[in-house]
């Protein structure tokens, strides 16, 4: 499709400048949480509130995935009684939430981060250790490749 | 703020690796097209694991004594069904084979799940992450690589916890994560490396392991009880025990195996029940991380201070996903990158992929250190290159305390019946002695369940 062809050229004009890693926040134990501290490299790129919102939403998703309560207790007992064979057939709650997270990240990338030349990598691809944010620099080529819907105008800030 | 124009980037088309792209997609993006088949991630996995069924099943490099464990369970249960069940069904009730069969199936399934599941392996840091961490540590800009152990302190529930830097995986280990030297992986919520099961026990398979040992306790106790009842019934009417044993020789074997196993398995189950109720790992318990050895109010920051909630969170928490994505495809440019970046990786992947029949050669060294491989990971915990120095100090006191516990829990129970005649019994006795000298080996301190479990299944004759 035209978008793809255009993006091939974009790839050449947008090069990876830097990567920022948002580390895990262990203050509440081993549950999955990421630090909401705003990294300095992103200061010129994105508003602090947008970034914090993203990280807080992700933290909430992970908390939901790992929540222990009445329902997880029942699921655990049921799984145990089937000698955990049920894990082979059913998608676990965690996996369901991971899918939601993947969709959320993609949506954030499309709407908020890509227009600012940033890209969030899903933490699951980094072993849930970090949220990797890639910072792209335009190589300064001002020749706008043939226009397509995916190429927005300048978002000079 | 630069004046560059930032053009909107379609996230899906960019070279950051995405999970499982179809092979031709990856080739489209990469100009340096490799004509070879795209590889799955398990094929370049850097740890010492072996993968089967195209990455669906994984086991540790050394299977340990898993075949022995499985064999003993199957043989004992088989003898039970052949020799004892017919008699007991006739004289007592036909529920007995049903219960026994159910327990047997449960035990085998949970054993296989413990062995074949990813225990919670943490994938190693990508080169970018490692560089970022290095940058944060070496703030002076000094390019020399400093080997002393790097630690980072975090506050968890108002308790100071030291996170150690793992040189193999190039990252700061999350809390409760430990690097297993046998598997060469960092494992989350590392409990121990169990040779009986041939795998590490960690966050993802601890519930399988616990269910396995609890159901095995029931099975062993059940078989023991049934065999005793069977022999007692046969010996009735003044016929005597010898007569009963002659009539049912299989029962003698079962009796011996069960008698020696039941105490150790029960002890192990009890120990792990205690660990579950206090939300501790074997690793932490052995090292006394939270026992207040250091004086001030050091408490376990992970405990919910409520037995029920602790049990729930350990056994009934949602099953975490496997982080290593064995069956994902390597994006073509990344596979080139990994091949270039680490020759060691390629070599290891060859080992992983090519060697499948190493049970014999792997079992022998594992057997020689069988009682203590649970603690071997401890030596690699701080630094791979400083293990002897670091661990020689704590180990004597650990080995004496663990030796004491070992004595209390199991040897006291088994020393009386040492005078028996069967050859298998003598081998077991010899086996009982084998673990003991190794208690004193500084490299591998013992644990209470190393002792019991090591002599639990008796014979230590190498699996040739």
């Amino acid at each position: 499709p035209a978008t793809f062809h255009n993006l091939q050229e974009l790839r050449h004009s947008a090069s990876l400048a830097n990567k920022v890693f948002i580390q895990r926040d262990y203050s509440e134990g081993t549950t999955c949480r990421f630090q909401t501290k705003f990294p300095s490299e992103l200061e010129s790129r994105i508003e602090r509130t947008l970034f914090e919102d993203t990280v807080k939403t992700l933290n909430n998703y992970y908390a939901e995935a790992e929540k222990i309560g009445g329902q997880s207790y029942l699921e655990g007992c049921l799984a145990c009684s089937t000698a955990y064979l049920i894990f082979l057939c059913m998608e676990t709650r965690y996996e369901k939430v991971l899918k939601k997270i993947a969709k959320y990240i993609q949506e954030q990338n499309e709407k908020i981060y890509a227009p600012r030349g940033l890209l969030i990598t899903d933490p699951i691809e980094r072993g849930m250790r970090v949220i990797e944010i890639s910072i792209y620099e335009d190589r300064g080529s001002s020749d706008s490749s043939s226009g397509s819907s995916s190429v927005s105008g300048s978002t000079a800030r | 703020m630069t004046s560059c124009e930032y053009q909107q980037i379609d996230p899906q088309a960019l070279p950051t690796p995405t999970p499982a792209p179809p092979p031709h997609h990856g080739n489209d993006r990469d100009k340096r097209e490799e004509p070879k088949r795209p590889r799955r991630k398990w094929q370049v996995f850097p740890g010492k694991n072996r993968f089967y069924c195209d990455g669906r099943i994984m086991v540790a490099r050394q299977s340990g004594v898993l075949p022995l464990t499985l064999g003993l369970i199957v043989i004992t249960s088989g003898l039970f069904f052949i020799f004892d069940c017919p008699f007991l069904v006739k004289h007592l009730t036909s529920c007995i084979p049903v219960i026994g069969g159910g327990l047997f199936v449960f035990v085998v399934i949970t054993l296989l799940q413990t062995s074949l599941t990813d225990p919670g392996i943490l994938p190693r840091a990508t080169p970018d992450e490692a560089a970022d961490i290095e940058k944060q540590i070496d703030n002076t800009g000094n390019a020399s690589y400093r080997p002393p152990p790097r630690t980072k302190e975090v506050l968890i529930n108002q308790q100071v916890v030291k996170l150690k830097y793992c040189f193999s995986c190039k990252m700061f280990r999350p809390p409760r994560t430990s690097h297993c030297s046998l598997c060469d992986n960092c494992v989350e919520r590392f409990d121990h490396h169990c040779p009986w099961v041939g795998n590490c026990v960690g966050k993802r398979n601890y519930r399988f392991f616990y269910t396995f040992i609890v159901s095995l306790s029931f099975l062993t106790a059940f078989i023991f009880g049934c065999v005793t009842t069977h022999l007692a019934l046969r010996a009735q009417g003044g016929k005597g025990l010898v007569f009963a044993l002659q009539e049912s020789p299989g029962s003698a074997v079962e009796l011996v195996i069960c008698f020696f196993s039941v105490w150790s398995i029960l002890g192990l189950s009890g120990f792990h029940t205690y660990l579950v109720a206090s939300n501790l790992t074997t690793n932490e318990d052995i090292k006394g991380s939270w026992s207040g050895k250091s004086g001030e109010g050091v408490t376990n920051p992970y405990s919910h201070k409520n037995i029920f909630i602790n049990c729930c969170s350990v056994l009934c928490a949602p099953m975490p996903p496997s982080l290593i994505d064995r069956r994902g495809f390597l994006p073509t440019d990344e596979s080139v990158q990994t091949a270039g970046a680490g020759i060691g990786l390629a070599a290891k992947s060859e080992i992983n992929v090519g060697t499948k029949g190493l049970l014999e050669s792997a079992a022998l060294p594992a057997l020689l250190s069988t009682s203590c491989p649970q603690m071997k990971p401890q030596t690699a915990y701080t630094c791979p290159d400083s293990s002897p120095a670091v661990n020689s100090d704590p180990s004597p006191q650990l080995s004496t305390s663990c030796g004491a516990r070992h004595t209390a829990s199991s040897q006291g129970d088994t020393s009386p019946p040492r005078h028996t005649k069967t050859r298998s019994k003598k081998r077991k006795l010899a086996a009982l002695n084998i673990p003991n000298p190794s208690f004193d080996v500084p490299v591998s301190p013992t644990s209470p369940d190393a002792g019991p479990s090591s002599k639990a299944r008796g014979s230590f004759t190498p699996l040739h």
Side-chain angles (χ1 to χ4, degrees), chain B residues 39 44 46 127 334-349:
Chain B
R39 298 201 290 170
V44 295
E334 187 173 281
S335 65
V336 171
Q337 180 190 6
T338 51
I343 306 299
L345 284 179
K348 277 181 180 162
S349 70

Side-chain angles (χ1 to χ4, degrees), chain B residues 177-375:
Chain B
T177 301
S178 193
H179 192 96
C180 176
S181 56
L182 288 171
C183 306
D184 197 22
N185 287 316
C186 267
V187 176
E188 284 192 291
R189 203 187 182 277
F190 181 78
D191 196 84
H192 64 281
H193 182 102
C194 184
W196 298 100
V197 151
N199 199 3
C200 290
V201 177
K203 181 160 90 167
R204 294 187 78 242
N205 65 350
Y206 188 73
R207 66 191 76 192
F208 304 145
F209 177 73
Y210 184 72
T211 315
F212 166 62
I213 55 176
V214 168
S215 51
L216 187 61
S217 316
F218 281 120
L219 179 67
T220 317
F222 180 74
I223 292 183
F224 187 60
C226 287
V227 169
T228 314
T229 312
H230 173 204
L231 291 176
L233 287 175
R234 265 198 205 266
Q236 261 177 355
K239 296 191 198 137
L241 184 62
V242 178
F243 171 75
L245 284 174
Q246 278 171 346
E247 283 219 318
S248 178
S251 303
V253 177
E254 289 172 61
L255 203 58
V256 158
I257 294 179
C258 285
F259 186 77
F260 282 99
S261 323
V262 76
W263 313 112
S264 10
I265 302 288
L266 276 176
L268 190 60
S269 302
F271 174 64
H272 276 278
T273 307
Y274 156 71
L275 288 181
V276 165
S278 27
N279 202 335
L280 279 173
T281 62
T282 306
N283 199 349
E284 287 164 355
D285 188 69
I286 295 304
K287 291 162 68 188
S289 315
W290 316 119
S291 66
K293 262 193 324 200
S294 44
E296 324 88 51
V298 176
T299 55
N300 183 3
Y302 312 108
S303 168
H304 301 265
K305 313 282 188 259
N306 177 320
I307 290 181
F308 184 68
I309 298 181
N310 279 340
C311 291
C312 253
S313 71
V314 175
L315 300 174
C316 301
M319 184 73 176
S322 173
L323 297 174
I324 53 179
D325 188 26
R326 317 185 270 282
R327 300 197 67 238
F329 284 104
L330 286 172
T332 327
D333 43 1
E334 187 173 281
S335 65
V336 171
Q337 180 190 6
T338 51
I343 306 299
L345 284 179
K348 277 181 180 162
S349 70
E350 293 303 303
I351 294 171
N352 288 339
V353 174
T355 58
K356 289 188 180 184
L358 285 184
L359 275 178
E360 304 83 29
S361 52
L364 181 54
L367 280 172
L368 292 176
S369 57
T370 299
S371 67
C372 305
Q374 285 181 350
M375 290 304 111

Side-chain angles (χ1 to χ4, degrees), chain A residues 26-43:
Chain A
Y26 294 116
S27 58
E28 291 181 14
T30 49
T31 51
C32 187
R33 253 184 85 86
F34 290 96
Q35 293 177 357
T36 48
K37 191 173 72 96
F38 189 59
S40 51
E41 294 92 336
L42 294 181
E43 252 163 45

Side-chain angles (χ1 to χ4, degrees), chain A residues 145-156:
Chain A
S145 321
S146 45
S148 136
S149 55
S150 68
V151 180
S152 68
S154 76
T155 51

